[in-house]
Amino acid sequence: MKMNNVTKQIFLLAWPAILEMMMHTLVWTADTAMVGRLTPAAITGVNLGANIMFAVGHIFGALGIGATAMVARYIGAKEKEKAEFIGAQALSIGMVMSVVLGILGILFAKPIITSIVDDPEVIVLGTDYLRIVMGGLIFYIPLVIGNAILRGAGNTVIPLISAILANTFNIIGDYGLIFGRLGLPELGVRGAAIATGSAQALGAIVTLYYVIRGTAGIQVKIKDLIKWDFKTIRNVVGLSTPAGLEMLMNEGSRLLSSFWIAQLGTVAFAGHSLAIAAESISFMPGYGIAIAATTLVGQNLGDNNVVDADESAKKSVLYASILMGLVGVAFFLIPYPIMRLFSTDHETVALAAVCLRVGALEQIPIAIAIVVSGALKGAGDTKGPFKIALITNLTVRLPLIYFIVFVWRLHIGYVWAATALQFMVEALLMVVRYKKGQWKSTEIQWEQ
């Protein structure tokens, strides 16, 4: 890859990934916006259930991060058969984990929700929602890993197609099942959960069809799925474990923060949840470009091209910062009109608008943090981002939010200010880690 083609390569990989991430985010935002027409209790129940399900999915779906790094490295080294075998082993273990976690989630949904809130209405609605979407988790983790395999091979288009089909289905299902339209029964929160779980199943079917068929640049063979090679699994899991721990730290911190924020009251938590739903859309350019950085860094290092790997990472950071910075300007200038799109409850919208305006300050730091993290992971350095997540969550985010909620008893906007500070520190530490340059010599070994 020539230096003057680095920008082209970034956006060829990034634009489908950006659109894909946006479509996946609509699973949550569509649920939130439509349920937002019901009650604050419904908003709280849906967001608690969604937070838990996606947290579990992201933590265990982190197996895909190791798969992306290894597949990209061997694709870059022109060793496609090794890349395909590694992908098959990652997908196989992911399928087993998803079934176990889905069953556990269905069985323990009520105790989980009850341990978080004591509002009887929220408990009923949250339990119903969580039970159904945890069934969808059985498909969600294989979907995440399948998409990761495709991205490692340089294909970000098929994950986009999968997301478009699944989330179009989800939005239509939300509209029909929440409000009783299109000849469907009116199920409220339960309808939102059914639509979301069904969409995840559809997305997994589409992605795995292309992965197994082999028309998307890489093929996972059935025989490699059903015959485990424990050395390969150990290598994939070993590389993915720090990424999984990073997800555990981030998602665990986010969940614990949500539980604490819930103590501020149903309306405060609903406003916070709506602002999160709106802000999550802004992350999509950053995540999409981070995916491009992961793939390009991994493939270039596999081809022993450190110069292009470095250039890909730096330009990815620049482009993500510009795009997310522009979104941040909109959040700061017009937060109330944006939040009106998500709910008709005036008190909830007013609180959410304050949160979103504060959230404008963290857009560029988030862009830097997630893209540099993606570049490091593409190089096989999954330990660095985990250590940084550990530091920022335990020394910045959690202590500050605890004091804001339980000691100082401040407005929900201060919680968002604490989160903004966390991302600023995280961005700085990621850049320091990258500039040390150890990622350039990170080796990824595969034994069979």
Side-chain angles (χ1 to χ4, degrees):
M1 183 175 67
K2 301 297 183 182
M3 287 289 289
N4 58 7
N5 285 333
V6 168
T7 296
K8 179 180 178 181
Q9 290 290 331
I10 290 171
F11 283 102
L12 281 175
L13 289 170
W15 77 261
I18 291 171
L19 294 179
E20 179 205 345
M21 294 297 106
M22 291 182 70
M23 291 301 300
H24 281 308
T25 301
L26 286 177
V27 172
W28 184 13
T29 54
D31 283 353
T32 305
M34 293 189 197
V35 174
R37 268 57 184 176
L38 302 177
T39 65
I43 297 172
T44 300
V46 167
N47 278 276
L48 282 175
N51 279 336
I52 294 166
M53 188 279 292
F54 281 114
V56 174
H58 290 156
I59 291 165
F60 290 91
L63 190 67
I65 294 174
T68 296
M70 294 184 74
V71 168
R73 184 68 67 95
Y74 284 105
I75 289 291
K78 310 298 189 295
E79 297 185 68
K80 188 177 179 182
E81 288 188 5
K82 287 185 178 180
E84 291 176 339
F85 185 80
I86 289 167
Q89 296 297 291
L91 184 58
S92 180
I93 190 67
M95 288 177 171
V96 173
M97 288 193 308
S98 68
V99 172
V100 173
L101 292 168
I103 293 173
L104 290 175
I106 292 169
L107 292 176
F108 294 100
K110 186 172 183 179
I112 292 170
I113 296 295
T114 304
S115 69
I116 301 169
V117 294
D118 54 12
D119 185 320
E121 186 178 1
V122 173
I123 290 174
V124 172
L125 294 173
T127 298
D128 276 352
Y129 186 89
L130 184 58
R131 278 180 178 153
I132 295 169
V133 295
M134 287 303 286
L137 183 74
I138 294 173
F139 301 95
Y140 183 71
I141 292 177
L143 169 64
V144 171
I145 295 173
N147 286 338
I149 293 167
L150 290 168
R151 294 189 195 108
N155 189 324
T156 54
V157 174
I158 296 303
L160 170 61
I161 293 172
S162 172
I164 290 173
L165 293 174
N167 290 289
T168 299
F169 178 87
N170 181 81
I171 293 170
I172 294 172
D174 272 339
Y175 177 72
L177 291 171
I178 291 174
F179 304 115
R181 305 292 173 81
L182 306 176
L184 298 172
E186 182 179 350
L187 300 178
V189 167
R190 184 174 295 179
I194 293 171
T196 296
S198 300
Q200 290 166 354
L202 177 60
I205 291 169
V206 173
T207 290
L208 297 183
Y209 169 79
Y210 282 100
V211 168
I212 293 173
R213 187 180 180 188
T215 57
I218 190 169
Q219 181 177 24
V220 167
K221 300 177 178 64
I222 299 294
K223 66 181 181 66
D224 293 334
L225 282 173
I226 61 178
K227 183 179 180 181
W228 285 10
D229 181 87
F230 289 99
K231 288 184 178 180
T232 302
I233 291 174
R234 182 185 65 193
N235 290 332
V236 175
V237 172
L239 186 60
S240 301
T241 296
L245 292 174
E246 179 191 356
M247 288 287 184
L248 176 62
M249 176 55 60
N250 287 332
E251 296 294 337
S253 173
R254 186 169 61 81
L255 276 176
L256 183 57
S257 299
S258 295
F259 302 159
W260 289 346
I261 294 166
Q263 307 309 309
L264 295 175
T266 299
V267 174
F269 185 83
H272 168 76
S273 299
L274 288 178
I276 288 287
E279 189 192 35
S280 64
I281 298 174
S282 75
F283 299 161
M284 299 307 101
Y287 281 128
I289 294 175
I291 287 170
T294 300
T295 299
L296 291 173
V297 169
Q299 290 187 356
N300 279 311
L301 289 181
D303 195 30
N304 295 316
N305 191 340
V306 176
V307 174
D308 277 9
D310 183 46
E311 188 71 9
S312 298
K314 289 178 178 177
K315 286 192 174 182
S316 294
V317 170
L318 174 62
Y319 300 141
S321 297
I322 292 172
L323 292 174
M324 290 188 65
L326 291 173
V327 176
V329 172
F331 285 171
F332 188 81
L333 295 178
I334 52 170
Y336 192 87
I338 292 173
M339 294 317 311
R340 284 282 293 167
L341 299 173
F342 289 82
S343 178
T344 56
D345 185 87
H346 295 292
E347 185 179 4
T348 303
V349 168
L351 285 173
V354 172
C355 296
L356 195 64
R357 176 164 279 164
V358 177
L361 303 177
E362 64 190 24
Q363 296 306 303
I364 292 178
I366 290 173
I368 295 170
I370 61 179
V371 175
V372 175
S373 175
L376 291 172
K377 291 169 185 171
D381 179 10
T382 53
K383 293 181 180 179
F386 162 61
K387 292 177 181 177
I388 291 170
L390 187 68
I391 291 169
T392 59
N393 277 288
L394 294 184
T395 66
V396 181
R397 181 190 184 99
L398 290 178
L400 282 177
I401 292 179
Y402 179 84
F403 275 93
I404 288 168
V405 173
F406 295 107
V407 179
W408 302 325
R409 300 184 182 279
L410 299 175
H411 187 273
I412 185 67
Y414 287 94
V415 172
W416 280 66
T419 304
L421 178 60
Q422 179 207 359
F423 282 116
M424 292 174 188
V425 174
E426 186 169 313
L428 176 63
L429 294 178
M430 287 288 184
V431 171
V432 170
R433 176 83 177 188
Y434 181 86
K435 283 187 173 295
K436 287 183 178 180
Q438 295 176 345
W439 60 271
K440 297 177 182 179
S441 57
T442 300
E443 293 186 1
I444 295 179
Q445 297 294 333
W446 178 60
E447 300 174 4
Q448 185 180 21

